[in-house]
Amino acid sequence: MLDSLFNPVGVAVIGASGKELHIGNRVIKNLLDFGYKGGIYPINPKADEIRGIKAYPSILDVPGQVDVAHMVIPAKFVPMAVEECGKKGVRHIIINSGGFSETGPEGAEIETAFLEKARAYGIRIFGPNCQGIINSDPAVRAYCNFTFTFPEAGHISIVALSGGVAEVIHQGFSAMDVGTRIYASNGNACDISIPEIIRYLADDDGTRVIVTYVEGLKDPLGFFEAAREATAKKPVLAMKAGRTMEGAKAAASHTGGLAREDMATDLIFKKAGIVDFRDEGHLINAAAVFGSQPVPKGNRVGIITNTGGPAVIATDILVDAGLMLPPLSENIKTMLSGKLYPEATVSNPVDVLATGTADHYLACLEAMMADDSFDCVLVNFVTPFFVDTESIARAIAQVNLRQIKPMVCNLMTDRRQWASTVAILKSAGVPCFALPSDAARALGALVRYRRILDRKAGRVRTFGDVDADGARAILSRAAARKILAADQVYALLESYGIDVPDWRMADDIDGALAAAEAIGYPVVVKADAEAVVHKSDMGGVAVNLLDADALKRAVAGMIERIDVPNLRFFVQQYVPGGREVILGAKAEPGVGHLIMFGLGGIFVEVLKDVVFNLTPVTDAEAREMVDGIQACALLDGVRGEKAVDKAALIVLIQRLSRLVTDFPQIKELDLNPVMAFENGAVAVDARIAL
Amino acid sequence: MLDSLFNPVGVAVIGASGKELHIGNRVIKNLLDFGYKGGIYPINPKADEIRGIKAYPSILDVPGQVDVAHMVIPAKFVPMAVEECGKKGVRHIIINSGGFSETGPEGAEIETAFLEKARAYGIRIFGPNCQGIINSDPAVRAYCNFTFTFPEAGHISIVALSGGVAEVIHQGFSAMDVGTRIYASNGNACDISIPEIIRYLADDDGTRVIVTYVEGLKDPLGFFEAAREATAKKPVLAMKAGRTMEGAKAAASHTGGLAREDMATDLIFKKAGIVDFRDEGHLINAAAVFGSQPVPKGNRVGIITNTGGPAVIATDILVDAGLMLPPLSENIKTMLSGKLYPEATVSNPVDVLATGTADHYLACLEAMMADDSFDCVLVNFVTPFFVDTESIARAIAQVNLRQIKPMVCNLMTDRRQWASTVAILKSAGVPCFALPSDAARALGALVRYRRILDRKAGRVRTFGDVDADGARAILSRAAARKILAADQVYALLESYGIDVPDWRMADDIDGALAAAEAIGYPVVVKADAEAVVHKSDMGGVAVNLLDADALKRAVAGMIERIDVPNLRFFVQQYVPGGREVILGAKAEPGVGHLIMFGLGGIFVEVLKDVVFNLTPVTDAEAREMVDGIQACALLDGVRGEKAVDKAALIVLIQRLSRLVTDFPQIKELDLNPVMAFENGAVAVDARIAL
């Protein structure tokens, strides 16, 4: 579908202008300067030519095929122009102009109007209010964009709504002399979407790496699915910003209160196998490595250096990123024997000394490439005036071209004085950085990608024992309530196989006594009514009631204290001991639910030691959640306590995931606490909001 | 003392060479090329001239004054050459050559030999095995160094042992067109030390910012004192690397086990008021801002942008760094009224739109500079082809030159095409970055410096009630033991006013009974002997013994279980309840002691939620420690519990600091747990190792 957008045989510019500072002129200049291989058709009823190219009064007058028409005209004229493009058989329209939905309802109406026409003619719209696309493929050279950074041909493709950030990334590559394959920034994205473009790039053979930036996802599930398909084919690197802009929403539950506003995007990134970044500089540097280097088999890195301190800095960053620096194997030591200066440090890092020559570098590189004890190499190379730095660069370049294991280079030099040395490395595709931290972090990202590739996604268990019909009936009866009644809550949990203590509902003291008799003492009693929101604060909870007298006093006290209509009493078996944990779910519109797990009590209230994932949670993900809290050692038993049944918690997370997935009307759900025992786990208090 | 090192009237090069690739040639070339204002004296017995400059057979033949002599000769000739320099009256020698203590004992001997001679003549040695110094002062222009990066004149000075990292930082400034004032890299630093150079730079009027890098401190206290003096005069920015290289030492206490190997350096940085960094790129960027901008009064930042996404990224980083983005005041809105495009976003960030002109930028900048609601400004400036970017640059430059409030600029452009725009900003001293994160983080560092300046150092309390003589007597009696006996421990704590439960020592069951009688039940009994290291694990602790029978049984059991010589019994009052906290001290050679505070039990064992500081801990620092643990809310009372006596804990930290400061022979000390109550705090178990 998007093939002719990125590989157009002809490009028209509706609103082409003779004025230098007009976008309708710049796009034509860019197409010309970049060496576009197709037909260029300026559309302007008042001009014979623009920048020396024959202009046409209307798109209908263009003789050749037009795959892409730019529109650089006021918003109000766009619907009519789309109509004309339809008649001409134009396949894609890049609307650079603004004045649409981004400005308010009036603009949104125009957007709806032109979209309707576009659909009628089968035209796809890119934008509006956008920069456009670039394709650096030598056979195409399409610069359908009004920006000013001309990419080298390359293997990294960039896609983002935000033109500003897409361009920052693009400029970052350009400053490093790293090429860009396809660039797409689609502004309002009223038709052609980011997920659609990601799918296209996933199938584009020229694209080795997809880079994207998002502030919020318009269609989170669509993005997730496209990204997951893409990551199965090639690395997708992404950054999300706008983390701190939004305040936390008022929430009716712990889970709601603890879930950060933008958490879903992070979880989507993770679940889709995206390599995510918090800093656009790190993203740019990593992409340069992903675009030129093979993926390492593991996390063992060898460092070759001709200066000490920068290798120390690189080591810190590598270790922080989860890489290991194994010692040199005997095999490598043998390979290096007699090949370095006697004063050289033959360990990891290998210090070949400032006076180290090309032969020294080559010996180290070949040894590390050949020996199985390393997965990747970081070269730390300062350019002293007294050695032949060009030869060293050629040695590094030569090894890199073999693409045996990934390598990066921290090239410490004055890039103006040592331009030819720099050029040798760059032309061989060695990713070169000016700071040891940058080189190390970029290599670290590549190793992170290896871990993502090796990660087991796990499977979504379906649980044949759940009673979905029963649950549906409970929820439809409850539909009028925002907060479910206690009997509804526990019946619902039971229908999905979630263990709860034995319970009964009662309307009064006698009912409560009968319930307790049936359950067996000791019991817990909880006041229940639609108006009772925080039952503990209202004196609506009494635990460990040992006999009828105690129960009677407790219920009588509640009746006295809590003056609300339809007050009932939830009586349940008292379950002492166990380790308190909390589980929860929160609906995330357009995505599903966030599922939360953590330790209860102060761990959730004070330390906020909780982890999240998105529905549907797989078995592997549930295990990762249980093992992912900071205090997870407590689950394994410390200070002589017994370990709790982690397997039961892992199943419980999955049952909860299944429940809220089946019933998306559940807005928030807390199981707090769940008592985890040596065998099994029981939800002793719960709360569900629709 | 160092004045003539950095401002030499004459420089000799002993080992001057006619060979281009020899350091003895390069130093002369660098002095010439950099435009050194003093006399240059090549010393070479076989040459008449080097690089066109008259050479002398010996330093003694030089006619003029020599403040600095380079030595670029084999190590073994250095002592004799130093002797000659002494006769000539040379004041400083920069020994570029290696082959000294860094190579082993033989080299170290030569180092000792030449140092002896140097001291005899009052010569100061810089190096050996070092790069040298640079002074870019237009009146001096001394490039006494064999590297290749020629700095612009500037206000930032760099000092580091590591030539590699000093040069990386230097190159970073050079790549940003930011000047360097003094550069000093002293390698082995056998005489002139980093602290000494820091003191010199602190008094150097041309240095506005001191930048340093360390891997480990040779003289931690000396560094601390020099840095503290310097930070009282100007900002000191520093980075420490080698964090992950060293393994954790085996330790006999919790405090020992939790103290990271390199923690002392971080704490020294903090206590000295250094602005510290973990990434050399962040350090370089921040220094550029510190060197050109005033210090903000507070943390309120205004953003002016002409593109959306990059401002979102900048906001994330600024907020992470503790800055606030207040809304625009009514005053500012009035000032901007009618001055921007109607579609511009008049909030914070202000979006003047891509089409925004110089007048728009100027209006925003002047409003933010004039209005009291902002302390600093971040300008986000992409250079569209359709606006007059040079005018915008001039507007920004003009406001920056007034130095009213600090500003930084994220300049998103192709630096080759927009070179004149870039030049306008740079020549006015506007710190320009290519990425929004970099600009935001550098501004964030400046705000961090404001917080450091505003921090109250507090005072070191002396505690008139301590019994130092009593403590000394206890420790001298204990000197033969590695681990103090219980009676020694508790008597020592009491002598320093640290509350402990009432206690007695007993040799047998009868003694224990008598002790308990005197103390009053319930009691605790603990087995005590030099061979008892982990008393709990050996069944050597019994708590809450309610009567003589229980005590008798407990002691009898210990006698049976624990078969070690000289077993005694420590009987103490049982102190139930309270919140468990842990305090500790660990000797840090050359510094003093690390002092640790945290919550006890699982908080220290599982969550490792502890904080450290260095002796002597001031009252303000002790308060910061108590408030600095993650779970500090627990001390204030949660879930209906009462708050504990934080004031008592703060005093306790200071008493502990005083104790170990007075008695540096204490290697490790744990108070674990201390029971903190609503009133007071009592150390119920303690352990001291000498």
Side-chain angles (χ1 to χ4, degrees):
Chain A
M1 272 298 281
L2 300 185
D3 205 53
S4 51
L5 169 67
F6 291 110
N7 301 278
V9 299
V11 175
V13 179
I14 297 171
S17 165
K19 294 178 195 152
E20 283 274 340
L21 297 187
H22 193 280
I23 291 178
N25 185 283
R26 183 72 185 204
V27 172
I28 293 168
K29 174 178 159 56
N30 282 346
L31 284 163
L32 288 170
D33 290 355
F34 197 57
Y36 173 50
K37 304 293 184 189
I40 305 176
Y41 308 106
I43 311 298
N44 183 326
K46 293 177 193 157
D48 292 334
E49 59 84 30
I50 308 269
R51 286 194 172 271
I53 300 181
K54 180 176 163 47
Y56 300 87
S58 152
I59 186 83
L60 295 168
D61 301 319
V62 172
Q65 185 185 328
V66 177
D67 284 336
V68 169
H70 279 270
M71 286 203 185
V72 197
I73 54 177
K76 62 182 173 187
F77 300 130
V78 166
M80 203 179 65
V82 170
E83 176 93 43
E84 286 191 278
C85 285
K87 288 178 186 155
K88 167 64 186 165
V90 169
R91 302 171 73 169
H92 298 93
I93 300 176
I94 295 174
I95 305 179
N96 300 108
S97 316
F100 302 95
S101 60
E102 82 280 7
T103 61
E106 230 169 287
E109 246 174 63
I110 306 178
E111 209 167 286
T112 312
F114 76 65
L115 259 178
E116 216 164 90
K117 287 186 194 297
R119 285 196 182 122
Y121 286 101
I123 300 176
R124 300 299 310 275
I125 304 290
F126 189 92
N129 186 33
C130 77
Q131 277 184 4
I133 67 105
I134 306 169
N135 184 352
S136 72
D137 183 342
V140 183
R141 307 286 299 166
Y143 202 111
C144 301
N145 192 314
F146 59 83
T147 54
F148 46 79
T149 309
F150 281 22
E152 298 292 312
H155 307 293
I156 307 170
S157 292
I158 306 167
V159 52
L161 299 182
S162 163
V165 177
E167 188 56 13
V168 162
I169 294 169
H170 189 201
Q171 283 163 359
F173 294 146
S174 174
M176 292 172 77
D177 296 315
V178 166
T180 298
R181 161 82 175 175
I182 283 175
Y183 176 102
S185 179
N186 57 344
N188 293 10
C190 77
D191 177 19
I192 295 172
S193 67
I194 297 284
E196 202 175 351
I197 299 169
I198 287 178
R199 279 207 175 83
Y200 177 81
L201 297 173
D203 289 329
D204 172 47
D205 288 337
T207 296
R208 282 193 206 153
V209 187
I210 301 171
V211 169
T212 189
Y213 163 83
V214 301
E215 281 165 23
L217 296 171
K218 288 179 89 164
D219 169 16
L221 263 192
F223 179 90
F224 168 67
E225 279 158 16
R228 190 171 50 176
E229 284 171 34
T231 59
K233 297 170 185 167
K234 56 191 67 169
V236 178
L237 279 55
M239 170 165 166
K240 149 111 181 76
R243 290 180 280 125
T244 55
M245 303 276 290
E246 303 125 325
K249 267 191 208 154
S253 71
H254 266 300
T255 311
L258 289 162
R260 272 199 343 271
E261 189 66 7
D262 66 343
M263 185 175 273
T265 306
D266 289 341
L267 295 170
I268 284 172
F269 280 11
K270 187 175 176 200
K271 217 171 165 95
I274 285 174
V275 190
D276 70 330
F277 295 84
R278 286 268 153 137
D279 181 301
E280 72 283 7
H282 301 174
L283 168 62
I284 291 165
N285 291 338
V289 175
F290 279 70
S292 66
Q293 299 299 309
V295 180
K297 288 196 180 139
N299 71 339
R300 299 162 308 164
V301 58
I303 300 181
I304 306 165
T305 189
N306 63 351
T307 174
V312 175
I313 293 178
T315 300
D316 277 358
I317 301 282
L318 290 166
V319 173
D320 280 351
L323 280 78
M324 284 173 51
L325 279 84
L328 294 188
S329 65
E330 286 310 312
N331 181 33
I332 290 185
K333 284 185 187 159
T334 308
M335 289 168 85
L336 293 181
S337 168
K339 293 195 176 163
L340 307 181
Y341 289 126
E343 301 83 10
T345 309
V346 185
S347 61
N348 189 15
V350 185
D351 190 339
V352 298
L353 307 182
T355 45
T357 69
D359 286 344
H360 301 174
Y361 270 94
L362 198 58
C364 295
L365 280 166
E366 288 187 331
M368 287 185 182
M369 290 294 165
D371 192 81
D372 270 349
S373 57
F374 291 105
D375 302 307
C376 52
V377 177
L378 185 142
V379 177
N380 219 3
F381 174 29
V382 69
T383 57
F385 72 92
F386 43 70
V387 296
D388 179 356
T389 57
E390 290 182 25
S391 291
I392 295 174
R394 271 190 293 271
I396 298 169
Q398 167 194 339
V399 175
N400 180 63
L401 285 171
R402 289 189 229 142
Q403 296 271 304
I404 304 162
K405 295 174 186 173
M407 56 189 281
V408 298
C409 180
N410 172 37
L411 177 60
M412 295 164 287
T413 191
D414 178 325
R415 278 159 165 68
R416 287 161 285 204
Q417 291 183 65
W418 266 259
S420 56
T421 300
V422 175
I424 290 165
L425 289 167
K426 289 204 170 168
S427 67
V430 180
C432 289
F433 301 93
L435 298 173
S437 287
D438 283 346
R441 215 181 272 113
L443 186 59
L446 197 62
V447 171
R448 182 149 58 98
Y449 179 56
R450 162 51 59 201
R451 284 200 297 272
I452 291 173
L453 289 177
D454 290 347
R455 196 178 67 191
K456 283 187 180 50
R459 66 186 188 92
V460 178
R461 286 184 59 178
T462 48
F463 296 105
D465 61 354
V466 306
D467 175 13
D469 291 337
R472 188 170 301 110
I474 294 166
L475 285 167
S476 61
R477 278 197 304 276
R481 291 185 70 149
K482 197 177 140 36
I483 307 288
L484 263 58
D487 48 346
Q488 296 168 332
V489 168
Y490 291 87
L492 190 68
L493 296 177
E494 287 178 321
S495 69
Y496 268 64
I498 294 170
D499 281 344
V500 298
D502 192 9
W503 61 272
R504 302 281 190 286
M505 277 310 273
D507 292 322
D508 49 27
I509 291 181
D510 288 343
L513 290 169
E517 205 60 44
I519 294 166
Y521 288 95
V523 295
V524 174
V525 63
K526 297 171 183 172
D528 191 67
E530 199 157 1
V532 173
V533 179
H534 298 290
K535 56 187 182 292
S536 298
D537 299 351
M538 297 170 84
V541 179
V543 301
N544 197 13
L545 302 171
L546 299 173
D547 53 32
D549 266 4
L551 176 59
K552 210 185 285 182
R553 276 197 306 276
V555 174
M558 289 180 193
I559 291 171
E560 202 180 300
R561 278 192 300 275
I562 305 171
D563 183 18
V564 301
N566 306 319
L567 184 67
R568 296 197 301 158
F569 303 95
F570 178 75
V571 185
Q572 71 184 152
Q573 183 193 355
Y574 175 59
V575 181
R579 168 70 69 184
E580 283 188 29
V581 302
I582 176 171
L583 278 85
K586 175 179 175 285
E588 191 67 27
V591 184
H593 285 79
L594 294 168
I595 300 289
M596 185 182 87
F597 172 76
L599 286 169
I602 56 154
F603 294 94
V604 57
E605 285 168 23
V606 176
L607 298 171
K608 309 206 184 311
D609 181 14
V610 292
V611 291
F612 285 86
N613 212 321
L614 280 178
T615 52
V617 178
T618 68
D619 49 2
E621 289 168 340
R623 179 173 301 278
E624 201 182 279
M625 288 176 76
V626 169
D627 289 335
I629 55 172
Q630 283 179 54
C632 64
L634 293 185
L635 298 176
D636 296 321
V638 289
R639 300 190 132 204
E641 285 176 13
K642 284 188 175 137
V644 305
D645 188 347
K646 279 161 87 172
L649 293 174
I650 291 165
V651 169
L652 182 49
I653 290 170
Q654 294 173 83
R655 286 188 181 273
L656 176 60
S657 167
R658 170 82 201 271
L659 171 61
V660 294
T661 303
D662 287 350
F663 300 103
Q665 64 265 49
I666 296 176
K667 283 225 178 64
E668 300 192 6
L669 185 159
D670 273 348
L671 306 180
N672 181 24
V674 169
M675 288 299 181
F677 298 96
E678 207 183 341
N679 288 300
V682 181
V684 302
D685 200 24
R687 179 182 171 78
I688 296 176
L690 300 185
Chain B
M1 270 298 280
L2 299 185
D3 205 53
S4 52
L5 169 67
F6 291 111
N7 301 277
V9 300
V11 175
V13 179
I14 298 172
S17 165
K19 293 179 197 154
E20 282 276 336
L21 296 187
H22 193 281
I23 291 178
N25 186 283
R26 183 72 183 203
V27 171
I28 293 167
K29 174 177 157 58
N30 282 345
L31 285 163
L32 289 169
D33 290 354
F34 197 58
Y36 174 50
K37 305 293 185 190
I40 306 176
Y41 309 107
I43 311 297
N44 184 327
K46 294 178 194 157
D48 292 334
E49 59 85 28
I50 308 267
R51 287 194 170 268
I53 301 182
K54 180 178 166 40
Y56 300 87
S58 152
I59 186 84
L60 296 167
D61 302 316
V62 172
Q65 183 184 331
V66 176
D67 284 335
V68 169
H70 279 270
M71 287 203 185
V72 198
I73 54 178
K76 60 182 173 187
F77 300 130
V78 165
M80 201 180 66
V82 170
E83 177 94 43
E84 287 192 276
C85 285
K87 289 178 184 151
K88 166 64 187 166
V90 168
R91 303 173 71 171
H92 298 93
I93 300 177
I94 296 174
I95 306 179
N96 300 108
S97 316
F100 301 94
S101 60
E102 82 279 9
T103 61
E106 228 169 289
E109 246 173 64
I110 307 179
E111 209 169 285
T112 312
F114 74 66
L115 258 178
E116 217 164 89
K117 290 190 190 295
R119 286 202 180 116
Y121 286 101
I123 300 176
R124 301 300 311 275
I125 304 288
F126 190 92
N129 187 32
C130 76
Q131 278 184 5
I133 67 105
I134 307 169
N135 183 354
S136 73
D137 182 341
V140 182
R141 307 287 297 166
Y143 202 110
C144 301
N145 192 315
F146 59 84
T147 55
F148 47 78
T149 309
F150 282 22
E152 298 293 312
H155 308 291
I156 307 171
S157 291
I158 305 168
V159 53
L161 299 183
S162 163
V165 177
E167 188 57 12
V168 162
I169 294 169
H170 190 199
Q171 283 163 357
F173 294 147
S174 174
M176 293 172 76
D177 297 315
V178 166
T180 298
R181 162 82 176 175
I182 283 174
Y183 175 102
S185 180
N186 57 343
N188 293 10
C190 77
D191 177 19
I192 295 174
S193 67
I194 297 284
E196 201 175 352
I197 299 169
I198 287 178
R199 279 207 174 84
Y200 176 81
L201 296 174
D203 289 329
D204 172 46
D205 288 337
T207 295
R208 283 193 205 153
V209 187
I210 301 170
V211 169
T212 189
Y213 164 83
V214 301
E215 280 164 24
L217 296 171
K218 288 179 90 161
D219 168 17
L221 262 192
F223 179 90
F224 168 69
E225 277 157 18
R228 191 171 50 177
E229 284 170 33
T231 61
K233 295 171 187 167
K234 55 190 68 167
V236 178
L237 280 55
M239 172 165 166
K240 150 112 180 74
R243 290 180 279 124
T244 55
M245 303 275 291
E246 304 125 322
K249 266 191 210 152
S253 71
H254 266 298
T255 311
L258 288 161
R260 274 200 339 273
E261 189 65 6
D262 66 343
M263 187 175 272
T265 307
D266 288 341
L267 294 170
I268 285 172
F269 279 11
K270 189 177 175 197
K271 218 171 164 100
I274 285 174
V275 191
D276 70 329
F277 294 84
R278 287 268 152 138
D279 181 299
E280 71 284 7
H282 300 174
L283 168 62
I284 291 165
N285 290 337
V289 175
F290 278 70
S292 66
Q293 300 297 310
V295 181
K297 289 196 180 138
N299 70 340
R300 299 163 308 164
V301 58
I303 299 181
I304 305 165
T305 189
N306 62 351
T307 175
V312 175
I313 293 177
T315 300
D316 278 358
I317 302 283
L318 289 166
V319 172
D320 281 351
L323 280 78
M324 285 174 49
L325 280 84
L328 295 187
S329 66
E330 285 310 310
N331 180 34
I332 290 185
K333 284 186 187 159
T334 307
M335 288 167 86
L336 293 180
S337 167
K339 292 194 176 164
L340 307 180
Y341 289 126
E343 302 82 11
T345 308
V346 186
S347 60
N348 188 15
V350 185
D351 190 339
V352 299
L353 306 182
T355 44
T357 68
D359 286 345
H360 301 175
Y361 271 94
L362 198 57
C364 296
L365 281 166
E366 289 190 328
M368 287 184 182
M369 291 294 166
D371 192 81
D372 271 349
S373 56
F374 291 105
D375 301 308
C376 53
V377 177
L378 185 143
V379 176
N380 218 3
F381 174 29
V382 68
T383 57
F385 72 91
F386 43 71
V387 297
D388 179 356
T389 56
E390 291 183 23
S391 291
I392 295 174
R394 272 191 292 272
I396 298 169
Q398 167 193 339
V399 174
N400 180 63
L401 285 171
R402 288 187 229 143
Q403 295 269 306
I404 305 163
K405 295 175 186 172
M407 56 190 279
V408 297
C409 181
N410 172 35
L411 177 60
M412 295 165 286
T413 192
D414 179 326
R415 279 160 164 69
R416 289 162 283 205
Q417 291 183 63
W418 265 261
S420 55
T421 299
V422 175
I424 291 166
L425 289 168
K426 291 206 170 166
S427 66
V430 180
C432 288
F433 301 93
L435 298 173
S437 287
D438 284 345
R441 215 180 272 112
L443 186 59
L446 197 62
V447 170
R448 181 148 59 97
Y449 180 56
R450 161 52 60 201
R451 284 199 297 271
I452 291 172
L453 289 177
D454 290 347
R455 197 178 66 190
K456 284 186 179 52
R459 66 188 188 90
V460 178
R461 284 184 61 179
T462 48
F463 296 106
D465 60 355
V466 306
D467 174 15
D469 291 337
R472 188 170 300 110
I474 295 166
L475 285 167
S476 60
R477 278 196 304 276
R481 293 187 66 146
K482 196 178 140 37
I483 307 288
L484 263 59
D487 49 345
Q488 295 168 332
V489 169
Y490 290 87
L492 191 68
L493 296 177
E494 285 178 323
S495 71
Y496 267 65
I498 293 171
D499 281 344
V500 297
D502 192 8
W503 61 272
R504 301 280 190 288
M505 274 313 271
D507 293 322
D508 50 26
I509 291 182
D510 289 342
L513 289 169
E517 205 59 46
I519 293 166
Y521 288 95
V523 295
V524 174
V525 64
K526 298 171 183 172
D528 191 67
E530 199 158 2
V532 174
V533 179
H534 298 290
K535 56 185 182 291
S536 299
D537 299 351
M538 298 172 82
V541 179
V543 302
N544 197 13
L545 302 171
L546 297 173
D547 52 33
D549 266 5
L551 176 59
K552 210 183 288 181
R553 276 197 306 276
V555 174
M558 289 179 193
I559 291 171
E560 202 181 300
R561 277 191 300 275
I562 305 171
D563 182 19
V564 300
N566 306 318
L567 184 65
R568 295 197 302 158
F569 303 94
F570 177 75
V571 185
Q572 72 184 150
Q573 182 192 355
Y574 175 59
V575 180
R579 166 72 69 186
E580 281 188 29
V581 301
I582 175 171
L583 278 85
K586 174 179 176 286
E588 190 67 26
V591 184
H593 284 80
L594 293 168
I595 300 290
M596 185 183 84
F597 171 76
L599 285 169
I602 55 155
F603 294 95
V604 59
E605 285 169 23
V606 177
L607 298 171
K608 309 205 184 309
D609 181 14
V610 292
V611 291
F612 285 86
N613 213 321
L614 280 178
T615 52
V617 179
T618 69
D619 50 1
E621 288 168 340
R623 178 175 300 280
E624 201 182 280
M625 288 176 76
V626 170
D627 290 335
I629 54 171
Q630 281 177 55
C632 65
L634 293 185
L635 298 176
D636 297 320
V638 289
R639 299 188 132 204
E641 285 176 13
K642 283 184 177 143
V644 306
D645 189 346
K646 280 161 84 172
L649 294 174
I650 291 164
V651 168
L652 181 50
I653 290 171
Q654 295 171 81
R655 285 187 181 274
L656 176 60
S657 168
R658 172 78 202 273
L659 171 61
V660 294
T661 303
D662 287 350
F663 300 102
Q665 64 264 51
I666 298 177
K667 282 226 179 62
E668 298 193 9
L669 185 158
D670 273 347
L671 307 181
N672 181 26
V674 171
M675 288 297 181
F677 298 96
E678 206 183 342
N679 288 301
V682 182
V684 302
D685 199 24
R687 176 181 173 79
I688 295 176
L690 299 186

